[in-house]
Structures are given as structure tokens and as C-alpha cells.
Amino acid sequence: MSEACTHDCSTCGSSCSTIDEKDLIAPLNKYSSIKHVYAIMSGKGGVGKSSVTANLAVAMAKKGYRVGIMDADITGPSIPKAFGLNTRAVSDGESILPELTLGGIKVMSLNLLLENPADPVVWRGSLVGGVVKQFWSDVNWGELDYLFIDMPPGTGDVPLTVYQSIPVDGIVVVTSPQDLVSLIVTKAVRMADMMKKPILGVVENYSYFQCDKCGEKHYIFGQSNLEQVAGDLGVEILAQIPMDPTMADAMDKGAVEELEGSYLTPVADKILSHEKK
């Protein structure tokens, strides 16, 4: 198979029928057992994807499941900050050990391996993709019920590596209520279709701001057309999350696990119902 493969066989004259897609899956760390893997992705950046990933992981952990987060946004990792993780991950001589949050969520991110987390990661795509595979093969995750992968924005090298190398069970697409929502969601959905990965649905972040005095909803980015877009693509709207200063403050302070309640509980419930099918 060519490295330039787009997985759109209708545009290709090559024959790859002898290659089993399972052959591309990287081996899971021998000390790890992971039941389910879900990727959180978006067609663009700046939509609060990491916030959705962090809060979804917390919602699932509060239901009593063993949860981990792989921060695959190598050049812009923000998951450690959301959980207040400031120490460096270590090795036991055979595997890298993920850091543990106060709530028991296992986290692996490049920021946990850098000597200075503020240093930029100036790497080519192939190297970044290699690190993501190492997070799957070289990290001792132990026993997990759910691993959530915080994907980088877009549909480039790293998402392709994840979908080819890791057995992803489903995808949650994150967007925001702006004019580009149709393009953002469509790109993500089409990539998932090309990679034959099921989409659980779409989460719209920053949907509105609700005044804590009068209760009125203010649509800062304008009224969303997500319902029409989701209908056209045949995907479900899982949640529409408001602009919540409390959530933003918790993310900035590394206290995401201290939030009461969760806008992502419906998404966690959707994942559980998906597993029962």
C-alpha cells in the first residue's frame, strides 16, 4: 500500500485487495488490556475538543469505569493541564507509565515526557505519527474499560495513523455554531466513512451563553444550523454545550474532575448503549 493512500479506492488504480486492514494495527502494550477505544475529533481547531475529551473521560470515570486518555494532539497537548498534571511520566524499564489523575484516570501526553512542557514540538508528520503509535504500544495502560483519544484538529497524518494503527470502536465529532460547521462536520464524517469507523454523533461546543440572572440564552456565534447539517449527514446530535465560565475556569486550574454534573453525561450514555448493540 502506498504511503499516499487516501483510502478512497474509487480514485485509485492500484490493487490492495491482498492487504488485510488488521495487519496495519499496531500491537498493544503487552501489559495492557483495553476493552473500548473512542476518538474525539474535529475538522478544525479551536472548538474545545480537548475540553470535551476531558469531561467525557470524567463522566465515564464517575460511572465507575476504568478510563484512560491518550493525548494524540502532539504539537498542542492540553490534557495534562486540564487535570493539573505537572510531573513527568517515567519508565519501569520495559514500558512508559501513564500519569494518574486524582480521580484515577490514566493519562499519556507528550507534555508529560518533555523536560520543559512549554517547549514547542517542531516535528514532521511522520515522527508525530510514530509517537502516537508508541503511546499505544509502549505505554503500560494496565486494564482499562475505555480509552479516549484526544485527536489533533483536521484530517491529516495523525488521524490517519490513529485510524490505521489503533482499533477505534467509534468517533465523537466536535464542532461549534459557526458558518463553517457544515464543512467541519462533513470533513470529519467523510474521513470516518473512508476509514470505516462508526460515528456516534456530534457534540456542539459553545452553543450559547445562558445568563445566570435571567436565564435567557444568548447565541454569541449566531443560531446554529447543526440540526440541518446532522440531518443531511445522517448523524446524531449528542449534546449542545453552552459557554460555561465554570468549566473554562476548571480547565485552566487543572480541576476538571471537581466540576459537579457534566454536559457530557448524555455522550457517555450513548457510548454505553453503543456497546450493548
Side-chain angles (χ1 to χ4, degrees):
M1 180 181 294
S2 168
E3 291 184 359
C5 177
T6 65
H7 288 264
D8 184 359
C9 297
S10 64
T11 67
C12 180
S14 301
S15 175
C16 302
S17 58
T18 58
I19 298 178
D20 190 335
E21 289 185 6
K22 293 181 180 179
D23 293 339
L24 300 175
I25 297 295
L28 176 62
N29 177 270
K30 64 180 180 180
Y31 299 110
S32 304
S33 173
I34 301 175
K35 293 181 179 179
H36 308 290
V37 181
Y38 287 89
I40 318 301
M41 77 169 297
S42 177
K44 69 179 291 292
V47 297
K49 178 178 45 55
S50 294
S51 174
V52 169
T53 304
N55 282 279
L56 177 57
V58 171
M60 196 64 85
K62 287 184 176 180
K63 288 179 176 289
Y65 294 98
R66 297 166 297 183
V67 178
I69 300 177
M70 179 193 295
D71 191 351
D73 193 355
I74 302 298
T75 59
S78 54
I79 290 296
K81 181 175 176 59
F83 289 92
L85 298 175
N86 301 306
T87 54
R88 292 182 66 187
V90 298
S91 169
D92 62 2
E94 291 189 76
S95 305
I96 303 170
L97 304 178
E99 287 295 287
L100 200 64
T101 72
L102 292 176
I105 297 173
K106 295 179 179 179
V107 174
M108 179 47 60
S109 171
L110 187 65
N111 258 21
L112 298 175
L113 300 174
L114 295 176
E115 197 166 322
N116 180 8
D119 287 344
V121 178
V122 187
W123 293 349
R124 294 191 182 277
S126 57
L127 185 56
V128 172
V131 171
V132 171
K133 286 199 286 188
Q134 283 186 291
F135 282 174
W136 177 253
S137 299
D138 296 351
V139 172
N140 180 355
W141 293 101
E143 294 190 6
L144 293 181
D145 296 307
Y146 292 94
L147 176 68
F148 294 105
I149 304 179
D150 184 20
M151 304 279 273
T155 55
D157 283 348
V158 174
L160 183 59
T161 297
V162 169
Y163 295 147
Q164 286 184 329
S165 306
I166 298 175
V168 174
D169 295 295
I171 297 169
V172 175
V173 178
V174 183
T175 186
S176 59
Q178 295 164 301
D179 290 340
L180 285 173
V181 63
S182 177
L183 184 61
I184 295 168
V185 176
T186 300
K187 280 180 176 289
V189 169
R190 286 183 176 173
M191 181 175 193
D193 288 343
M194 289 168 63
M195 304 303 296
K196 300 178 182 177
K197 303 296 181 182
I199 290 185
L200 271 68
V202 181
V203 172
E204 184 179 73
N205 215 1
Y206 314 133
S207 292
Y208 56 88
F209 173 76
Q210 188 162 17
C211 178
D212 57 358
K213 294 182 180 179
C214 68
E216 185 177 352
K217 292 181 179 179
H218 300 274
Y219 296 90
I220 308 299
F221 294 111
Q223 288 280 1
S224 170
N225 66 338
L226 180 61
E227 188 171 337
Q228 178 183 338
V229 173
D232 291 343
L233 293 170
V235 296
E236 182 180 346
I237 299 175
L238 301 176
Q240 290 180 286
I241 304 173
M243 301 174 71
D244 188 341
T246 303
M247 180 186 291
D249 187 57
M251 290 284 291
D252 288 340
K253 292 182 178 178
V256 69
E257 291 173 297
E258 296 177 17
L259 287 169
E260 294 185 9
S262 175
Y263 298 111
L264 275 301
T265 298
V267 186
D269 292 338
K270 176 67 177 181
I271 288 174
L272 294 175
S273 66
H274 175 71
E275 298 302 341
K276 293 178 182 178
K277 292 181 180 180

